[in-house]
Amino acid sequence: MLIKKTRKLTLNGYIVIALVLQLSVLFIRLIGTIIFKNFALLFESFHILTDLMVTAVVFAAIKISSSRFSKRYSYGLYRIEDLVSLFIAVIIASTAIYLLLSVFSALPSYSFQSSIIEIISIVPLFLSGIVKVIGGKALNSPSLASDGYHNYSDVYVGIGVAAGLLLTFVTDSDIFYYAAIMFAAAAILYVSAKVGKDSVTGIMDLPKDKKVIQQINRIVKENRDVTEIKSIKARWAGPAIFVEIVLTVNSRLTIEEAHDVSDSLEKKLLGEIPDLKDVVIHIEPSRNPHRVLMIPLYENGRIFQQFSKSQHYLIIDSNEGIRGNSRIVEVPREDILPEKNAQRLLNIVRENNVTDLLAINTGEILLSLMTVNHIFIWKAKSESVEDNIALFLQNKLPKFEATDITK
Ligand SMILES: [Zn+2]
């Protein structure tokens, strides 16, 4: 029976493997230089020495950005990775320029044997690139991945030069040499643009990954208290993401309730998006222009004295202060406890989407039950239904407070 062990490589693991591979590139090229006394191979050996230094810089950058020292700063030092990636993009681009310039000078320097050595040496170089790109993705380090692409670009140079020389040797025509060099230079410039784009995106605070925004949008929408998402802004610094969200909640939520909404969103977002380092949520009140008023009535159409004891309730729709449809709801008299009656009225309120009540007087139980459910009770100024509706639509009624209760 096989026991499958999945071991995750650490940064040190990826770096050690990549360094060993790059050192073997250096070793193969130096051997070639000594055997064939070839200047081009010596130059290529120097190149791999600078590549080793780049890898060392990448290693240092990742260590610094994830260090305790980095946490001293509000936004960390994650952006070091973007700077290193930009630096690598410039190195890659200069490789292409070097290659194009070499077209005019390097041809005689390469011999057939030395191009075979070059081809052999790019095998471990290619492997080093693969290790870094995989490591960069696994550890979520853009600069390590960029360094991997850098190795790929050097591989394209090797293939371009060697293939060009080989074809020239076989066909005795220079044209293949130039074509191969052009092809390699184009491939390198493409890699440089790709690496450079990602680092510039981070440095300029441009959106790097639209999927993250979509994921945040989905998570925020799942919260029932959120009425609207006004904006989601995300910034990338190296692998880290910082997010600012503006959203609206029902204006009738208390400050504490609104704070709970943002707290629970923060926890959920930080839990589901591991690269998220900080979320700032700005909450705005959302006033529903559509209000539904409920008024207790006597048979004669005047306002009932005690809200909870009426048997007829008038329900009036309104939108932006303009009166809409109205209907009467009959509530048969029942001999039940005030708590049960208040609950029965709350059910009617919910069934009819009532947002506001009008009362001359009401009990404590009903007042507190409606308050926790964000239903406002307004104090009637007279017994006239029409006068009070007009005042309600103009927002001229006072709120019914606990001190208004008459027993
Ligand atoms: Zn290089």
Side-chain angles (χ1 to χ4, degrees):
M1 208 168 95
L2 265 169
I3 295 167
K4 220 179 172 184
K5 257 194 185 174
T6 47
R7 254 211 256 153
K8 242 187 155 184
L9 264 177
T10 59
L11 171 67
N12 295 5
Y14 286 110
I15 293 284
V16 166
I17 294 172
L19 284 178
V20 167
L21 288 166
Q22 279 173 280
L23 281 169
S24 46
V25 178
L26 179 64
F27 184 72
I28 293 166
R29 286 178 184 175
L30 282 175
I31 295 277
T33 310
I34 293 162
I35 294 175
F36 302 109
K37 311 228 178 316
N38 184 285
F39 178 73
L41 279 177
L42 184 64
F43 187 89
E44 283 290 273
S45 304
F46 277 123
H47 180 167
I48 201 75
L49 275 177
T50 56
D51 286 359
L52 283 165
M53 283 193 299
V54 170
T55 304
V57 169
V58 167
F59 180 69
I62 299 170
K63 280 285 179 195
I64 291 169
S65 76
S66 60
S67 69
R68 243 206 246 152
F69 177 70
S70 162
K71 294 195 171 64
R72 274 201 228 165
Y73 302 94
S74 339
Y75 295 103
L77 295 172
Y78 303 105
R79 216 154 260 182
I80 284 184
E81 286 219 36
D82 294 322
L83 288 173
V84 168
S85 285
L86 187 61
F87 166 66
I88 292 170
V90 171
I91 291 179
I92 297 173
S94 57
T95 306
I97 293 161
Y98 152 74
L99 187 62
L100 290 173
L101 290 175
S102 76
V103 166
F104 306 103
S105 60
L107 186 55
S109 195
Y110 275 89
S111 68
F112 178 67
Q113 289 96 329
S114 64
S115 61
I116 296 296
I117 294 289
E118 175 81 7
I119 283 289
I120 294 168
S121 76
I122 61 176
V123 175
L125 189 60
F126 183 55
L127 292 174
S128 158
I130 292 174
V131 167
K132 287 174 191 169
V133 170
I134 291 174
K137 281 181 182 152
L139 303 170
N140 201 358
S141 160
S143 62
L144 186 59
S146 300
D147 195 30
Y149 292 122
H150 167 208
N151 287 162
Y152 288 170
S153 74
D154 289 343
V155 168
Y156 302 151
V157 178
I159 293 173
V161 171
L165 285 173
L166 199 65
L167 285 167
T168 310
F169 179 78
V170 173
T171 63
D172 208 20
S173 159
D174 289 355
I175 189 85
F176 291 106
Y177 176 73
Y178 295 115
I181 296 286
M182 291 300 167
F183 183 78
I188 295 162
L189 286 173
Y190 170 76
V191 172
S192 166
K194 189 177 157 177
V195 169
K197 188 185 151 227
D198 270 4
S199 59
V200 168
T201 302
I203 292 166
M204 301 287 287
D205 279 342
L206 299 170
K208 201 185 265 184
D209 188 353
K210 282 189 186 116
K211 276 188 203 143
V212 172
I213 307 272
Q214 284 165 0
Q215 196 184 355
I216 294 170
N217 192 65
R218 184 180 52 72
I219 293 169
V220 175
K221 264 193 189 155
E222 276 171 14
N223 191 306
R224 283 170 166 214
D225 286 315
V226 174
T227 46
E228 193 194 342
I229 301 169
K230 289 217 159 166
S231 72
I232 297 173
K233 289 184 204 156
R235 292 185 295 130
W236 275 259
I241 312 172
F242 298 94
V243 169
E244 286 164 47
I245 305 170
V246 180
L247 49 87
T248 62
V249 297
N250 187 336
S251 60
R252 293 182 177 189
L253 292 192
T254 62
I255 292 176
E256 223 165 292
E257 287 168 328
H259 181 252
D260 286 346
V261 172
S262 70
D263 249 10
S264 79
L265 280 176
E266 253 175 62
K267 276 200 195 107
K268 197 142 196 240
L269 290 166
L270 290 170
E272 287 195 26
I273 308 170
D275 298 332
L276 206 61
K277 298 294 171 209
D278 196 23
V279 194
V280 177
I281 299 175
H282 176 85
I283 288 188
E284 289 180 357
S286 124
R287 281 174 202 91
N288 191 349
H290 182 226
R291 295 200 292 169
V292 180
L293 181 66
M294 182 169 166
I295 308 170
L297 295 182
Y298 284 111
E299 298 273 2
N300 63 14
R302 308 296 284 175
I303 299 176
F304 204 93
Q305 279 296 324
Q306 191 70 19
F307 189 92
S308 57
K309 296 209 170 116
S310 178
Q311 285 170 268
H312 322 278
Y313 292 90
L314 177 63
I315 293 172
I316 302 158
D317 288 333
S318 75
N319 200 13
E320 304 206 23
I322 295 167
R323 192 172 169 166
N325 294 334
S326 56
R327 57 198 174 276
I328 298 272
V329 173
E330 304 287 342
V331 182
R333 197 174 167 76
E334 266 184 75
D335 226 7
I336 49 174
L337 290 169
E339 286 86 354
K340 283 223 165 151
N341 192 46
Q343 189 57 54
R344 187 168 69 141
L345 285 169
L346 181 65
N347 291 342
I348 293 165
V349 159
R350 285 190 175 145
E351 279 160 22
N352 290 281
N353 299 315
V354 169
T355 58
D356 300 85
L357 310 182
L358 185 71
I360 292 176
N361 192 26
T362 184
E364 262 169 56
I365 293 165
L366 192 81
L367 179 61
S368 61
L369 186 67
M370 291 303 161
T371 306
V372 294
N373 283 286
H374 311 299
I375 306 295
F376 286 169
I377 303 183
W378 303 96
K379 191 169 164 54
K381 284 196 168 170
S382 65
E383 283 186 12
S384 157
V385 171
E386 289 307 314
D387 290 356
N388 281 292
I389 290 173
L391 290 168
F392 169 78
L393 294 174
Q394 295 166 46
N395 286 316
K396 283 185 179 163
L397 287 176
K399 266 236 194 104
F400 195 98
E401 307 287 349
T403 47
D404 294 321
I405 296 172
T406 51
K407 293 190 178 165

